[in-house]
């Protein structure tokens, strides 16, 4: 498929409430954007004819500029196509606007953030935007060439993150994961030679510390299932937690997005928000009991089972992200209160439902089946995850030595 280019108005307004004009380069249904540097009111944009309306006092100048910029890009596209160069939309943009030899980490970071924003991955956008701020704060400039990122630079940066910025080891390493991702892309694009690659064997190694995952026991789950001295909001929070647990630790975003239309033939059919995989699971009897409690609030087959997303603007990814974030915080606070009421000292959050399923499953379920239940893409991920909850062999070995 050949690449195309057109003028668009990005739907992300600035602090003044104005929207940026940009050129969108598309290839194989993936797009990359180059901002023109001018902003207009939303009502001043003619979405049908892709130009600035006369209602904008500077319409003629802006439209001339847009026409010129678009012509420049299309000329660049023709040159690249004549060279039979098979490039992505992002690579096309970089080739047109900037020589590869002068591309910096900032150029790649900017393109990365624009892409995940266009893909409406707001959670990832928020996280990665925050990670980039540490890089620019340390380097004190956005003009960071890939050739300057060597082992010494990476070690000094790590010291800065855990020292001056007081980040945990895990948080600090997440910044390096992003740098490595961008560096790998630069190597593929031949912006930097792989001969000076600073990561991996012989270079800077990104090794995350082991995390201690603790789930509830069967006894504690039984207490959760039979507790009755709860307020209405506490009861709801516990229902959501148990629902997640009954579906093998279903992620909170997928729980809150459960619709009645996803439930038929005794199964739950849904598309995972994290990796877009389609999942079909049998609905456990205990989960059916929870669903029955919420059926009284059902407002049509396309309605959400739980109330948190009923008022969300589903056309606005940021509103969805914010509502899930706020809901998760409230649920976790209520779960903390519930745990205190019944004397459970373990930390209980929505994510702990996933650890709890793993803890109770132990080594009694084959890893391939657990992979399916957890919806992991890679079996290694399942094995590494489940190893946190398998203790029997080590316990028996210990007993065999000390019990004499």
């Amino acid at each position: 498929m050949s690449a195309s280019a057109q003028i668009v108005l990005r739907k992300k307004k600035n602090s003044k409430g104005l929207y940026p004009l940009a050129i969108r380069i598309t290839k194989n249904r993936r797009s990359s954007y180059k901002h023109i540097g001018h902003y207009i009111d939303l009502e001043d944009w003619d979405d049908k004819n892709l130009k600035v309306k006369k209602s904008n006092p500077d319409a003629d100048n802006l439209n001339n500029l847009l026409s010129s910029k678009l012509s420049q890009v299309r000329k660049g596209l023709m040159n690249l196509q004549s060279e039979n160069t098979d490039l992505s939309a992002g690579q096309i943009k970089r080739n047109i606007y900037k020589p590869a030899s002068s591309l910096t980490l900032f150029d790649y970071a900017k393109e990365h953030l624009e892409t995940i924003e266009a893909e409406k991955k707001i959670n990832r956008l928020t996280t990665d935007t925050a990670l980039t701020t540490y890089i620019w704060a340390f380097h004190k400039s956005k003009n960071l060439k890939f050739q300057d990122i060597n082992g010494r630079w990476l070690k000094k940066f790590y010291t800065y993150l855990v020292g001056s910025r007081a980040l945990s080891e895990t948080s600090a390493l997440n910044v390096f994961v992003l740098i490595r991702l961008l560096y790998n892309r630069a190597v593929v694009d031949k912006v930097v030679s792989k001969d000076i690659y600073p990561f991996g064997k012989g270079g800077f190694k990104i090794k995350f510390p082991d995390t201690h995952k603790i789930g509830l026991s069967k006894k504690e789950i039984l207490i959760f299932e039979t507790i009755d001295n709860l307020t209405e909001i506490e009861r709801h929070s516990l229902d959501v937690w148990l629902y997640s647990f009954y579906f093998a630790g279903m992620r909170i975003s997928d729980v809150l997005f459960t619709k009645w239309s996803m439930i038929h033939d005794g199964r739950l059919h849904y598309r995972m928000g994290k990796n877009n995989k389609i999942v079909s699971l049998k609905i456990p009897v205990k989960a059916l009991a929870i669903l029955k409690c919420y059926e009284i609030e059902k407002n049509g087959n396309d309605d959400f089972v739980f109330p948190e997303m009923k008022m969300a603007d589903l056309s606005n990814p940021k509103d969805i992200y914010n509502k899930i974030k706020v809901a998760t915080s409230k649920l976790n606070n209520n779960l903390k209160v519930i745990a205190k009421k019944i004397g459970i000292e373990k930390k209980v959050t929505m994510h702990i439902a996933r650890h709890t399923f793993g803890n109770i499953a132990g080594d009694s379920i084959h890893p391939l089946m657990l992979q399916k239940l957890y919806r992991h893409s890679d079996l290694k991920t399942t094995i590494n995850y489940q190893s946190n909850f398998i203790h029997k062999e080590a316990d028996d070995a210990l007993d065999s030595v000390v019990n004499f």
Side-chain angles (χ1 to χ4, degrees):
M1 176 182 176
S2 61
S4 62
Q6 69 176 156
I7 302 295
V8 296
L9 186 71
R10 301 298 306 275
K11 296 303 170 61
K12 182 182 179 182
K13 59 185 176 183
N14 64 10
S15 59
K16 297 179 180 179
L18 301 176
Y19 294 79
L21 291 161
I23 294 179
R24 182 176 66 202
I25 300 171
T26 304
K27 184 176 181 182
N28 295 331
R29 298 183 181 179
R30 294 185 69 88
S31 298
S32 186
Y33 296 84
K34 175 65 177 179
H35 285 206
I36 303 299
H38 292 270
Y39 294 74
I40 63 172
D41 285 318
L42 187 61
E43 55 265 31
D44 286 344
W45 178 246
D46 184 345
D47 200 40
K48 182 179 179 181
N49 297 305
L50 302 179
K51 66 179 185 178
V52 180
K53 293 180 181 178
K54 291 291 185 180
S55 54
N56 185 293
D58 205 25
D60 289 338
N61 289 333
L62 284 174
N63 284 326
N64 287 336
L65 174 65
L66 293 174
S67 179
S68 173
K69 293 288 186 182
L70 185 59
S71 177
Q72 174 191 349
V73 173
R74 285 177 172 166
K75 183 178 179 180
L77 286 177
M78 286 190 291
N79 290 336
L80 289 173
Q81 288 168 0
S82 67
E83 296 170 3
N84 293 319
T85 307
D86 187 18
L87 302 175
S88 69
Q91 291 168 332
I92 291 170
K93 185 183 81 171
R94 291 195 296 271
N95 271 272
I96 291 174
Y97 287 105
K98 199 170 186 179
S101 59
S102 62
L103 289 170
T104 65
L105 184 77
F106 174 73
D107 294 316
Y108 274 80
K110 186 171 182 291
E111 179 185 309
H112 170 69
L113 296 176
E114 287 177 352
T115 299
I116 57 179
E117 181 181 14
E119 293 172 348
K120 301 179 181 179
K121 297 178 179 178
I122 304 303
N123 194 6
R124 178 83 182 276
L125 176 64
T126 303
T127 300
D128 286 4
T129 299
L131 296 181
T132 60
T133 61
Y134 293 116
I135 305 171
W136 317 138
F138 169 71
H139 193 66
K140 295 183 173 59
S141 166
K142 292 182 178 179
N143 185 29
L144 175 58
K145 293 185 177 180
F146 288 98
Q147 290 81 355
D148 296 330
I149 303 174
N150 52 33
R152 184 170 179 270
W153 187 92
L154 292 169
K155 288 176 183 177
K156 288 177 66 177
F157 184 37
Y158 179 80
T159 301
Y160 164 79
L161 292 175
V162 298
S164 301
R165 302 306 294 262
L167 293 188
S168 67
E169 184 178 1
T170 298
S171 296
L173 290 178
N174 280 327
V175 186
F176 289 91
V177 170
L178 176 60
I179 294 175
R180 184 177 62 186
L181 169 71
L182 301 177
Y183 202 108
N184 287 338
R185 290 177 180 172
V187 169
V188 171
D189 293 344
K190 294 183 171 47
V191 171
V192 61
S193 171
K194 63 181 178 182
D195 294 335
I196 60 171
Y197 190 67
F199 296 99
K201 188 176 181 180
F204 187 89
K205 293 182 179 179
I206 301 175
K207 182 175 174 56
F208 285 92
D210 292 335
T211 55
H212 193 41
K213 297 179 172 64
I214 300 177
L216 302 187
S217 65
K218 287 183 180 179
K219 182 179 179 181
E220 289 165 333
I221 289 293
L222 288 172
I223 296 173
F224 261 14
E225 291 177 335
T226 55
I227 187 173
D228 56 10
N229 60 327
L230 299 178
T231 65
E232 185 176 341
I233 190 63
E234 289 170 352
R235 179 77 258 171
H236 167 68
S237 299
L238 184 55
D239 282 343
V240 173
W241 191 92
L242 288 170
Y243 182 90
S244 169
F245 166 70
Y246 294 149
F247 284 108
M250 190 178 184
R251 292 180 177 86
I252 181 59
S253 55
D254 292 327
V255 169
L256 298 181
F257 259 89
T258 303
K259 291 185 175 183
W260 292 104
S261 58
M262 299 175 181
I263 299 167
H264 50 85
D265 302 324
R267 304 185 69 82
L268 172 65
H269 307 264
Y270 73 100
R271 187 182 294 274
M272 288 178 63
K274 185 174 183 179
N275 56 21
N276 223 26
K277 281 187 174 181
I278 295 176
V279 180
S280 176
L281 294 174
K282 176 187 176 182
I283 303 176
V285 173
K286 292 179 178 180
L288 278 172
I290 291 176
L291 289 169
K292 190 171 182 62
C293 293
Y294 287 84
E295 202 164 12
I296 192 172
E297 301 294 334
K298 180 178 178 181
N299 185 22
N301 202 39
D302 204 41
D303 192 18
F304 292 104
V305 171
F306 301 109
E308 281 78 5
M309 301 308 298
K310 289 178 183 280
M311 299 301 292
D313 179 359
L314 301 182
S315 65
N316 185 342
K318 287 191 176 180
D319 186 56
I320 292 172
Y321 169 76
N322 288 331
K323 281 188 167 53
I324 291 175
K325 185 177 180 180
V326 170
T328 303
S329 177
K330 289 180 178 179
L331 291 167
N332 286 341
N333 288 336
N334 293 328
L335 289 167
K336 183 178 179 180
V337 172
I338 295 169
K340 188 175 182 179
K341 275 187 178 182
I342 57 182
I344 293 179
E345 295 184 358
K346 293 176 183 175
K347 183 179 180 180
V348 182
T349 64
M350 285 304 307
H351 191 65
I352 294 299
R354 196 168 182 81
H355 295 343
T356 298
F357 185 87
N359 185 46
I360 295 176
D363 58 359
S364 62
I365 301 177
H366 193 280
L368 286 172
M369 185 53 63
L370 280 173
Q371 180 190 6
K372 188 171 184 178
L373 290 172
Y374 286 141
R375 288 76 80 187
H376 286 155
S377 298
D378 191 339
L379 180 60
K380 288 181 181 178
T381 304
T382 303
I383 293 172
N384 291 336
Y385 181 84
Q386 201 59 21
S387 65
N388 293 277
F389 310 108
I390 298 175
H391 312 295
K392 188 177 185 304
E393 288 186 5
D395 293 347
D396 290 347
L398 180 65
D399 283 343
S400 69
V401 174
V402 302
N403 289 343
F404 54 84

